[in-house]
Amino acid sequence: GLKTNATLSFPSMARADDAKGGETKLVALKAVSEGYPLRGQISLQNLQSDGAANNQPTTRLTRDVPQAGQAWVDPSLLEVLNLQVGDAIWLGDKSFQIVALIHREPDRGAAFMNFAPRVMIHQADVPATGLIQPASRVSYRMAVNVQQFLKWARAEVDKPEVRGIQVESMESGRPEMRQTLDRAEKFLNLVALLAAMLCAVAVALAARTFASKHLDACALLRVLGQSQKTLSVAYAFEFITAGMVASLLGVLLGYGIHHAFIWLLAGLVDAQLPPSSVAPSLLGLGMGLTLLLAFGLPPVLQLAKVPAMRVIRRDMGGLQPASVGVLLTGLFGFAGALMWASRDLKLGLMTVGGFAIATLLFAGATWLVLKLLRKWVPSDTAPRWLLLATRQVMARPVYAVVQVSALSIGLLALVLLVLLRTDLINSWRKATPVNAPDRFVINIQPDQTQAFQASLKQAGVTGYDWYPMIRGRLVAVNGNAVSPSDYTDDRAKRMVDREFNLSARSAQPEHNPVVQGQWKEGERDAVSIEIGIAKTLGLKMGDRLRFDVGGVISEGRVTSFRKVDWGSMRANFFVIYPVDNLPDVPLSYMAAFKTPDVPAFERNLLQQFPNVTSVDLRATFIQIQNVLDQVIRAVEFLFAFTLMAGLLVLTAAVTSTREERKREFAIMRALGATGRLLSQVQTAELMGVGLLAGFLASLVAELVGWGLARFVFEFEWTASLWVPAAGALTGALLAWIAGWWGLAEVLRQPVSQTLRQASE
């Protein structure tokens, strides 16, 4: 009962009509039928007059397919064959009329033949072309619109008797974008983890503030005869009900915002996304209740233990730290929820573990600073406002430790997000810069190298990649013959069962960093291996590899492993000999460069060098840039969302001692302190706390960011000495702004009113 659609594709030569010059070009022919594409739509490009002398390209989406006798082609094919829409194109024995230009296919894969210009026809026309004969190589593709089908299909393909069949999915169909999308997914998961941690701080602070405000009321209820059990049930019910309502509101808010997120990703896929399931809502609700039970309920339940004596002695029955058992249970439960939500073991462990260790470091460093504060601020020479500010902080050491730690955790999340977001986007931009190569030319013969390079120079191409290209099959490792049966990994079997590209170059490619071993220019009997294929084939340093290159045996010892970014749009190879010449080995050359803005460049190039194959990646490059822009917009959207949540947490941390400040400032004003002096005291205290929190958070963010960048996101981390200084100043500024916003009433409220409230 599955909805499916089948297509077939194969390489073939397309020929212009003799009246148009009869030019030929290797194309990727694709035959489709009604119902294609199974999901999404084909984007076609037409040329329509705009009323002036110019023709402006426009696109339209369709679910139609070419009719009998019609052909849809890539625009680049018209340039090469000197054709226009409406002209005839020959495929084998049949002539087709070009009626539309293909702008984008939703299911176009990344196989090498798919980089050749596309020609799409109806399946009913294939027999008339006479192109499929005995020994023809044809790829048949069946599309299935059910994700659950993948598990069964992969199990079938893994059976020993099944060969030549591959399963592609949304996760594996676009290898040139795989790293970018993987990094984006991990960053979004990191945003979710940091948001949850910020929420944990906010819930803990809010619950403590809530409990502090109800201490006196609980003491009075105890005097009136209420039992601890009744108070526990009452406050737990009140708090859990409020938490449920808040969690539901959060789920509704998230559901609404996800529509904006989908709008930012519009065009990343050409299909209408299915409606969201109930699973994310349940996850959000569960995370909210987990936060509530782990960090909110313990201080609230302490209200039931308030002694009745607090009615006459306000110094009794204050909030105490939660018991070790309750605290550990909550923390482990929350850590488990974060690990499950992270979907990546390394990301979860490094983030959760890093923040747990950071919390202890923040508390320890704050306690040490408090111990040294009295020595740093002498009572006889320091300004009065500074002396009062330091005494205020030292009078409540536990509150100070909690406040600085909460501020530091919030700032750590924000600094970490800023640093990773900046380096992540920079790594994406560097991987696919605007001037990256968008055309690959292969099969350049050795006697054509000078003429070809001169042709590029004449066309204005100044920078290009130039490599010898060697087709070789791995036949032995350390003298032992290898075959597909020696491996269990499907990719390893395919690599051993076919030829792959090798090259030779004395200078190390600047975009291929060596991660193990050493690249020595001109070293004979040596090869450098891409680290991914080395892991797949189980190769290690010092192994001797033997390749069969067109009947010529070539050997080399593994002397280095290189890291290759396959999404960089640069020329890359699995194996490179660190020499400029390999005698007696058959080879050709390849060039990769930015297509110059020269009319009919490809047609002139192929007329001069008819044996070469020109692979035009301009459409692919534009699509990659568009996807990259959309991913960056999505990442920055959630980054800004989490940034706002972090600022709210900072405000909550700063204002957590609001009631205590009210009473203390009222007493100082009653004793003669001016409003200006108290404002200076508050500013000094807030900026000092923010300065310390920002400095500590920035130092830890540099360390955690380095670990995440190297072991999770796998990009180069650029640590900077200015980050701790900038973090300290930012922390001081944010703490002062949050204090001014949340504590302004403390300085404005009349003294009598404050003292009257304190005595009630």
Side-chain angles (χ1 to χ4, degrees), residues 199 203 243-244 246-247 282-294:
C199 290
V203 169
M244 284 288 293
S247 298
L282 295 177
L283 174 62
L285 193 62
M287 185 62 74
L289 292 178
T290 301
L291 288 169
L292 187 73
L293 297 176

Side-chain angles (χ1 to χ4, degrees), residues 344 393 454:
D344 185 283
V393 174

Side-chain angles (χ1 to χ4, degrees), residues 11 18 25 60 64 123 137 147 176 180 210 288 385 407 453 465 471 482 529 535-536 617 624 677 704 734-735 744 755:
D18 291 340
K25 174 67 176 177
R60 63 185 177 91
D64 295 331
Q123 285 189 13
R137 294 178 62 89
Q147 186 74 12
E176 73 275 13
T180 295
F210 174 86
W385 57 268
L407 269 174
Q453 292 177 341
D465 289 344
R471 296 289 292 173
V482 296
I529 309 294
K535 293 179 180 178
T536 300
L617 295 179
I624 289 175
L677 175 62
V704 176
L734 290 177
L755 294 177

Side-chain angles (χ1 to χ4, degrees), residues 654-666:
V654 169
T655 58
S656 61
T657 57
R658 178 190 181 94
E659 298 303 320
E660 290 79 4
R661 290 175 189 271
K662 274 186 179 182
R663 289 191 292 269
E664 292 167 357
F665 279 18

Side-chain angles (χ1 to χ4, degrees), residues 287-587:
M287 185 62 74
L289 292 178
T290 301
L291 288 169
L292 187 73
L293 297 176
F295 298 95
L297 204 55
V300 173
L301 291 180
Q302 289 189 40
L303 291 174
K305 300 179 180 179
V306 176
M309 286 293 293
R310 181 177 172 85
V311 173
I312 58 176
R313 290 193 57 183
R314 300 290 297 278
D315 59 323
M316 296 183 62
L319 291 178
Q320 302 297 323
S323 66
V324 176
V326 173
L327 186 61
L328 290 179
T329 301
L331 290 177
F332 280 119
F334 180 61
L338 290 180
M339 291 295 298
W340 180 76
S342 70
R343 303 180 184 179
D344 185 283
L345 183 61
K346 286 195 293 186
L347 175 63
L349 286 175
M350 294 195 68
T351 306
V352 176
F355 269 73
I357 296 173
T359 303
L360 298 177
L361 290 176
F362 294 151
T366 305
W367 187 263
L368 180 61
V369 170
L370 290 177
K371 290 291 186 183
L372 299 175
L373 198 58
R374 188 178 296 274
K375 298 180 180 179
W376 291 345
V377 183
S379 57
D380 52 345
T381 59
R384 192 190 318 178
W385 57 268
L386 181 59
L387 185 63
L388 287 175
T390 55
R391 295 300 182 264
Q392 283 279 100
V393 174
M394 289 186 293
R396 301 185 304 270
V398 175
Y399 277 121
V401 170
V402 171
Q403 190 176 43
V404 173
S405 299
L407 269 174
S408 299
I409 292 173
L411 288 170
L412 170 59
L414 298 184
V415 174
L416 191 59
L417 279 178
V418 170
L419 294 178
L420 282 175
R421 170 251 179 206
T422 302
D423 278 22
L424 187 63
I425 292 176
N426 288 341
S427 71
W428 283 337
R429 292 300 189 193
K430 286 194 298 184
T432 52
V434 177
N435 60 347
D438 59 13
R439 184 178 297 274
F440 288 75
V441 181
I442 61 175
N443 295 331
I444 306 168
Q445 298 305 306
D447 58 353
Q448 295 177 315
T449 57
Q450 293 185 355
F452 187 88
Q453 292 177 341
S455 177
L456 291 182
K457 184 177 181 180
Q458 184 178 2
V461 179
T462 56
Y464 53 90
D465 289 344
W466 181 263
Y467 288 90
M469 203 168 175
I470 305 165
R471 296 289 292 173
R473 183 191 298 269
L474 180 64
V475 294
V477 177
N478 295 325
N480 301 316
V482 296
S483 66
S485 59
D486 297 331
Y487 298 91
T488 57
D489 182 75
D490 188 56
R491 183 168 183 250
K493 290 182 178 181
R494 292 198 303 270
M495 295 300 300
V496 174
D497 203 24
R498 66 172 179 87
E499 294 180 335
F500 51 88
N501 292 324
L502 301 84
S503 188
R505 170 174 168 161
S506 179
Q508 177 187 340
E510 63 276 6
H511 57 287
N512 283 194
V514 172
V515 295
Q516 188 176 350
Q518 187 177 3
W519 179 294
K520 295 182 179 179
E521 295 187 7
E523 183 180 7
R524 297 288 178 179
D525 192 36
V527 293
S528 178
I529 309 294
E530 188 266 330
I531 186 67
I533 197 64
K535 293 179 180 178
T536 300
L537 298 178
L539 303 177
K540 56 185 182 298
M541 293 290 295
D543 283 348
R544 174 166 289 277
L545 310 184
R546 182 184 303 161
F547 295 95
D548 185 343
V549 184
V552 178
I553 299 300
S554 176
E555 292 193 5
R557 182 174 54 87
V558 178
T559 58
S560 66
F561 289 146
R562 292 170 293 111
K563 183 178 181 180
V564 174
D565 182 2
W566 297 104
S568 64
M569 303 295 290
R570 300 288 298 274
N572 291 307
F573 295 89
F574 287 128
V575 179
I576 299 180
Y577 292 83
V579 294
D580 286 328
N581 296 301
L582 282 178
D584 303 326
V585 172
L587 54 82

